[in-house]
Amino acid sequence: MKPAPFDYVRADALGEALEALHEAGDEARVISGGQSLVPMLNMRLARPSVLVDITRVSELKRIEQRKGQVFVGAAVRQVELERWAPLAGLLPMIAAMMPWVGHAQTRSRGTVCGSLAHADPSAELPLALLALGGEMHLRNRRKKRVLPASAFFMGMMATAVEPGEMIEAVAFPTHPMGTGTAFREIARRHGDFAIVACAAIARPDGTNRLAVGGVADTPQAIDLPDPSDAGFEDALNEFAWSLGARDDLHASARYRRDLVRSLGRQTVKEAIACRS
Amino acid sequence: MPKLSREGRYAIGFRLNGQEVTAHAPGRMLLTDLLRHVLGETGTHVGCEHGVCGACTVQVDGEPVRACLMLAAQAEGADIRTVEGLEPAAGELSPLQAAFREHFALQCGFCTAGILMSLDALLARIPDASEDAIREHLSGHLCRCTGYAPIVKAALAAQAQLKEEEAANA
């Protein structure tokens, strides 16, 4: 339960981190909070030969609001976003989610982008990225690229980040007036992995979007009509089956499908009720 | 840009319970092992070693942090507080520690150091934290002896005592 040996590079600037990542290629991993990576290192599920620590890179420590988006830099800790005063007004879904992200004792160091990079299928922040239609800003030492959730998440704990590349920031769009959002989760204990997590957006035009985490290998989303509409229940049921729920120690596949239907319906209704 | 190669041991300087310390460790060492094996501060316990049980929780710059999920090298320049730093004077218990004894909030004591550091950080940041907030905060810790009820009681008693002291000093 100790990490295998690695070289450790503490970058003071973004350029240094990118150079170090380029040199080490696919042998390197980025570390900051370490709340997902260090358990993997301790259990030797990950054995990178170089760790590039970006915690002290000041360019990556910013939360910024511009062009209808909130940019969260790769070294921003979850607790910093949780306590960021404009959060509840700009991104109420994420404000509702933050207390469910790990525990207070891991949010204190874990970064927002680190949770996205880990891509656990039951994690809340990847669900937010998909539900809100956010974008991942990636870069290597030569070029930058921007990916939506659908292109970023490749599978369970697998992302599109390439060797030599790192996450620079995540951008979450803020929504126009008349949009409502909601988040609900069922877990065994507060802070445990979600059995099912639901995030919903009720748009001003009366359409809704429901995203579900904890069931399929990556978060999945569906557009839904108003719950009073005749097609709502069928669409939701079809979606619940399409996620391919499996039995595991925590819950049966059937229970998960039931939760997608009941919690999903509640979350959409709550988002509609929150529409301002 | 400091680079630590896998073979070397490197000096790491930080504040530990108010004292500047320098300790030598290889790059892959965890903060738990630096505290316990290099510095001999064994009050911080090691349970699961993957961030689930909370036994190793310490305070880093005032926030509760799993010491088993932090590399020792990442402590460079940090202000770290462990259970050894809780007593206000040698042989004297802090109000939170005293409340734990009073309310039988520990039995085997393995989880206690971590829980004390978490609750101490919570009560310092939110002096009037609700019982719900205290319970939510405790969800980051496993205790197999007490059933948690005496821990919640002790936290509430310590909170009342701290508020009383605050009022008396005001």
Coordinates of all heavy atoms in Angstrom, one line a residue, chain B residues 9-64:
Chain B
R9 N 16.7 11.0 -1.6 CA 15.9 11.5 -0.5 C 16.1 13.0 -0.5 O 17.2 13.5 -0.7 CB 16.4 10.9 0.9 CG 16.2 9.4 1.0 CD 16.9 8.9 2.2 NE 16.1 9.1 3.4 CZ 15.0 8.4 3.8 NH1 14.7 7.3 3.1 NH2 14.4 8.7 4.9
Y10 N 15.0 13.7 -0.2 CA 15.0 15.1 -0.3 C 14.5 15.8 1.0 O 13.7 15.3 1.7 CB 14.2 15.5 -1.5 CG 14.7 15.0 -2.8 CD1 14.4 13.7 -3.2 CD2 15.7 15.8 -3.5 CE1 15.0 13.2 -4.4 CE2 16.2 15.2 -4.7 CZ 15.9 14.0 -5.1 OH 16.4 13.5 -6.2
A11 N 15.1 17.0 1.2 CA 14.7 17.7 2.4 C 13.3 18.4 2.1 O 13.1 19.0 1.1 CB 15.7 18.8 2.7
I12 N 12.4 18.3 3.1 CA 11.1 18.9 3.0 C 10.9 19.7 4.2 O 11.0 19.3 5.3 CB 10.0 17.8 2.9 CG1 10.2 16.9 1.7 CG2 8.6 18.5 2.8 CD1 9.5 15.6 1.9
G13 N 10.7 21.0 4.0 CA 10.5 21.9 5.1 C 9.1 22.4 5.3 O 8.4 22.7 4.3
F14 N 8.6 22.3 6.5 CA 7.2 22.8 6.7 C 7.0 23.1 8.2 O 7.9 22.9 9.0 CB 6.1 21.7 6.2 CG 6.3 20.3 6.9 CD1 5.5 20.0 7.9 CD2 7.2 19.4 6.4 CE1 5.6 18.7 8.5 CE2 7.3 18.2 7.0 CZ 6.5 17.8 8.0
R15 N 5.8 23.6 8.5 CA 5.5 23.9 10.0 C 4.7 22.7 10.5 O 3.8 22.3 9.9 CB 4.6 25.1 10.1 CG 5.4 26.3 10.5 CD 4.4 27.5 10.5 NE 4.1 27.9 11.9 CZ 5.0 28.5 12.6 NH1 6.2 28.8 12.2 NH2 4.6 28.9 13.9
L16 N 5.1 22.1 11.6 CA 4.4 21.0 12.2 C 4.0 21.5 13.7 O 4.9 21.7 14.5 CB 5.2 19.8 12.2 CG 4.5 18.5 12.9 CD1 3.3 18.2 12.2 CD2 5.5 17.4 12.9
N17 N 2.8 21.6 13.9 CA 2.3 22.0 15.2 C 3.0 23.3 15.7 O 3.5 23.3 16.9 CB 2.4 20.9 16.2 CG 1.5 19.7 15.8 OD1 0.4 19.9 15.3 ND2 2.0 18.5 15.9
G18 N 3.2 24.2 14.8 CA 3.8 25.5 15.2 C 5.3 25.5 15.2 O 5.9 26.6 15.3
Q19 N 6.0 24.4 14.9 CA 7.4 24.4 14.9 C 7.9 24.2 13.4 O 7.3 23.4 12.7 CB 8.0 23.2 15.7 CG 7.6 23.2 17.1 CD 8.4 24.1 18.0 OE1 9.6 24.2 17.8 NE2 7.8 24.7 19.0
E20 N 8.9 24.9 13.0 CA 9.5 24.7 11.7 C 10.3 23.4 11.8 O 11.1 23.2 12.7 CB 10.5 25.8 11.3 CG 9.8 27.2 11.1 CD 8.8 27.3 10.0 OE1 8.9 26.4 9.0 OE2 7.9 28.1 10.1
V21 N 10.0 22.5 10.8 CA 10.7 21.2 10.8 C 11.3 21.0 9.4 O 10.7 21.5 8.4 CB 9.9 20.0 11.2 CG1 9.5 20.1 12.7 CG2 8.7 19.8 10.3
T22 N 12.4 20.2 9.3 CA 12.9 19.7 8.0 C 13.0 18.2 8.1 O 13.6 17.8 9.1 CB 14.2 20.4 7.7 OG1 14.0 21.8 7.7 CG2 14.7 20.0 6.3
A23 N 12.5 17.5 7.2 CA 12.6 16.0 7.2 C 13.0 15.6 5.9 O 12.8 16.2 4.9 CB 11.3 15.4 7.6
H24 N 13.7 14.4 5.8 CA 14.2 13.9 4.6 C 13.4 12.7 4.2 O 13.1 11.8 5.0 CB 15.7 13.5 4.7 CG 16.6 14.7 4.8 ND1 16.7 15.5 5.9 CD2 17.3 15.4 3.8 CE1 17.5 16.5 5.7 NE2 17.9 16.5 4.5
A25 N 13.0 12.7 2.9 CA 12.1 11.6 2.4 C 12.3 11.4 0.9 O 12.6 12.3 0.2 CB 10.6 11.9 2.7
P26 N 12.1 10.1 0.5 CA 12.1 9.9 -1.0 C 10.8 10.5 -1.5 O 9.8 10.6 -0.8 CB 12.1 8.4 -1.1 CG 11.6 7.8 0.2 CD 11.9 8.9 1.2
G27 N 10.8 10.7 -2.9 CA 9.7 11.4 -3.5 C 8.3 10.6 -3.4 O 7.3 11.2 -3.4
R28 N 8.4 9.3 -3.2 CA 7.2 8.5 -3.2 C 6.6 8.4 -1.8 O 5.6 7.7 -1.6 CB 7.4 7.1 -3.8 CG 8.3 6.2 -3.0 CD 8.4 4.9 -3.6 NE 9.2 4.0 -2.9 CZ 8.9 2.8 -2.5 NH1 7.6 2.3 -2.8 NH2 9.7 2.0 -1.9
M29 N 7.3 9.0 -0.8 CA 6.8 8.8 0.6 C 5.5 9.6 0.8 O 5.3 10.7 0.3 CB 7.8 9.2 1.6 CG 7.4 8.9 3.0 SD 8.7 9.3 4.2 CE 9.5 7.7 4.3
L30 N 4.5 8.9 1.5 CA 3.3 9.6 1.9 C 3.5 10.4 3.1 O 4.4 10.2 3.9 CB 2.2 8.5 2.1 CG 1.9 7.6 1.0 CD1 1.0 6.4 1.5 CD2 1.3 8.3 -0.2
L31 N 2.6 11.4 3.3 CA 2.7 12.3 4.5 C 2.6 11.5 5.8 O 3.3 11.8 6.8 CB 1.7 13.4 4.4 CG 1.7 14.4 5.6 CD1 3.0 15.1 5.7 CD2 0.6 15.4 5.4
T32 N 1.7 10.5 5.8 CA 1.5 9.7 7.0 C 2.9 9.0 7.4 O 3.2 9.1 8.6 CB 0.6 8.5 6.7 OG1 0.8 8.0 5.4 CG2 -0.9 8.9 6.8
D33 N 3.6 8.5 6.4 CA 4.9 7.8 6.8 C 5.9 8.8 7.2 O 6.8 8.5 8.0 CB 5.3 7.0 5.6 CG 4.4 5.8 5.4 OD1 3.7 5.4 6.4 OD2 4.4 5.2 4.3
L34 N 5.9 10.0 6.6 CA 6.9 11.1 7.0 C 6.6 11.4 8.5 O 7.5 11.5 9.3 CB 6.7 12.3 6.1 CG 7.7 13.4 6.4 CD1 9.1 13.1 5.7 CD2 7.2 14.7 6.0
L35 N 5.3 11.6 8.8 CA 5.0 12.0 10.2 C 5.4 10.9 11.2 O 6.0 11.1 12.2 CB 3.5 12.3 10.3 CG 3.0 13.5 9.6 CD1 1.5 13.6 9.6 CD2 3.5 14.8 10.2
R36 N 5.0 9.7 10.8 CA 5.2 8.6 11.8 C 6.6 8.0 11.8 O 7.2 7.8 12.9 CB 4.2 7.4 11.5 CG 2.7 7.8 11.7 CD 1.8 6.7 11.3 NE 2.1 5.4 12.0 CZ 1.7 5.1 13.2 NH1 0.8 5.9 13.8 NH2 2.1 3.9 13.7
H37 N 7.1 7.7 10.6 CA 8.4 7.0 10.6 C 9.6 7.9 10.6 O 10.6 7.5 11.2 CB 8.4 6.1 9.3 CG 7.3 5.1 9.3 ND1 6.9 4.4 8.2 CD2 6.5 4.7 10.3 CE1 5.9 3.6 8.5 NE2 5.6 3.7 9.8
V38 N 9.5 9.0 9.9 CA 10.6 9.9 9.9 C 10.7 10.9 11.1 O 11.7 11.0 11.8 CB 10.7 10.8 8.6 CG1 11.9 11.7 8.5 CG2 10.7 9.8 7.4
L39 N 9.5 11.4 11.5 CA 9.5 12.4 12.6 C 9.0 11.8 13.9 O 9.1 12.4 14.9 CB 8.5 13.5 12.2 CG 9.0 14.4 11.0 CD1 7.9 15.3 10.5 CD2 10.2 15.3 11.5
G40 N 8.6 10.5 13.9 CA 8.2 9.8 15.1 C 6.9 10.4 15.8 O 6.7 10.1 16.9
E41 N 6.1 11.1 15.0 CA 4.9 11.6 15.5 C 3.8 10.6 15.2 O 3.2 10.6 14.2 CB 4.5 13.0 14.9 CG 5.6 14.1 15.1 CD 5.5 14.6 16.5 OE1 4.4 14.6 17.1 OE2 6.5 15.1 17.0
T42 N 3.6 9.7 16.2 CA 2.7 8.5 15.9 C 1.3 8.7 16.3 O 0.5 7.8 16.3 CB 3.3 7.3 16.6 OG1 3.5 7.6 18.0 CG2 4.6 6.8 16.0
G43 N 0.9 9.9 16.7 CA -0.5 10.2 17.0 C -1.4 10.1 15.8 O -2.6 9.7 15.9
T44 N -0.9 10.4 14.6 CA -1.7 10.2 13.4 C -1.7 8.7 13.0 O -0.6 8.1 12.8 CB -1.0 11.0 12.2 OG1 -1.0 12.4 12.6 CG2 -1.8 10.9 10.9
H45 N -2.8 8.1 12.9 CA -2.9 6.7 12.7 C -3.1 6.4 11.2 O -3.6 7.2 10.4 CB -4.1 6.1 13.5 CG -3.8 6.1 14.9 ND1 -4.7 5.7 15.9 CD2 -2.7 6.4 15.6 CE1 -4.2 5.8 17.1 NE2 -3.0 6.2 17.0
V46 N -2.8 5.2 10.8 CA -2.9 4.7 9.4 C -3.9 3.6 9.4 O -3.6 2.5 10.0 CB -1.5 4.4 8.8 CG1 -1.7 3.9 7.4 CG2 -0.6 5.5 8.9
G47 N -5.0 3.7 8.7 CA -6.0 2.6 8.6 C -5.9 2.0 7.2 O -5.2 1.1 7.0
C48 N -6.8 2.6 6.3 CA -7.0 1.9 5.0 C -5.9 2.3 4.0 O -5.7 1.5 3.1 CB -8.3 2.3 4.5 SG -8.4 4.0 4.0
E49 N -5.3 3.4 4.2 CA -4.2 3.9 3.3 C -4.8 4.1 1.9 O -4.0 4.1 0.9 CB -3.0 3.0 3.3 CG -1.7 3.7 3.5 CD -0.5 2.9 3.7 OE1 -0.5 1.7 3.4 OE2 0.5 3.4 4.3
H50 N -6.1 4.3 1.7 CA -6.5 4.8 0.4 C -7.7 5.8 0.5 O -8.5 5.9 -0.4 CB -6.8 3.7 -0.6 CG -7.9 2.7 -0.2 ND1 -7.7 1.7 0.7 CD2 -9.2 2.7 -0.6 CE1 -8.9 1.0 0.8 NE2 -9.8 1.6 0.0
G51 N -7.7 6.5 1.7 CA -8.5 7.7 1.7 C -10.0 7.4 2.2 O -10.8 8.3 2.1
V52 N -10.3 6.2 2.6 CA -11.6 5.9 2.9 C -12.0 6.0 4.4 O -13.0 6.5 4.8 CB -12.0 4.4 2.5 CG1 -13.4 4.0 2.9 CG2 -11.9 4.4 0.9
C53 N -11.0 5.6 5.3 CA -11.4 5.5 6.7 C -11.2 6.7 7.5 O -11.9 6.9 8.5 CB -10.5 4.4 7.4 SG -8.8 4.8 7.7
G54 N -10.4 7.7 7.1 CA -10.2 8.9 7.8 C -9.3 8.9 9.0 O -9.2 10.0 9.7
A55 N -8.8 7.8 9.4 CA -7.9 7.7 10.6 C -6.7 8.6 10.6 O -6.3 9.1 11.6 CB -7.5 6.3 10.9
C56 N -6.2 8.9 9.4 CA -5.0 9.6 9.2 C -5.2 11.1 9.0 O -4.3 11.9 8.7 CB -4.1 9.1 8.1 SG -4.9 9.4 6.5
T57 N -6.5 11.6 9.2 CA -6.8 13.0 8.9 C -5.9 14.0 9.8 O -5.9 13.8 11.0 CB -8.3 13.2 9.1 OG1 -9.0 12.3 8.3 CG2 -8.7 14.7 8.8
V58 N -5.3 14.9 9.1 CA -4.6 16.0 9.8 C -5.1 17.3 9.3 O -6.0 17.3 8.4 CB -3.0 15.9 9.5 CG1 -2.5 14.5 10.1 CG2 -2.7 16.0 8.1
Q59 N -4.6 18.4 9.8 CA -5.0 19.7 9.2 C -3.8 20.3 8.4 O -2.7 20.3 8.9 CB -5.3 20.7 10.3 CG -6.7 20.4 11.0 CD -7.0 21.2 12.2 OE1 -6.3 22.2 12.4 NE2 -8.0 20.8 13.0
V60 N -4.1 20.6 7.2 CA -3.1 21.3 6.3 C -3.6 22.7 6.0 O -4.7 22.8 5.4 CB -2.9 20.5 5.0 CG1 -1.9 21.2 4.1 CG2 -2.4 19.1 5.3
D61 N -2.9 23.7 6.4 CA -3.4 25.1 6.3 C -4.8 25.3 6.7 O -5.6 25.9 6.1 CB -3.2 25.6 4.8 CG -1.7 25.5 4.4 OD1 -0.8 25.7 5.2 OD2 -1.5 25.1 3.2
G62 N -5.1 24.6 7.8 CA -6.4 24.8 8.5 C -7.5 23.9 8.0 O -8.6 23.8 8.6
E63 N -7.3 23.2 6.9 CA -8.4 22.3 6.3 C -8.1 20.8 6.7 O -6.9 20.4 6.7 CB -8.4 22.4 4.8 CG -8.7 23.8 4.3 CD -10.1 24.1 4.4 OE1 -11.0 23.3 4.7 OE2 -10.4 25.3 4.2
P64 N -9.1 20.0 7.0 CA -8.9 18.6 7.2 C -8.5 17.9 6.0 O -9.1 18.1 4.9 CB -10.2 18.1 7.8 CG -11.2 19.1 7.2 CD -10.5 20.4 7.0

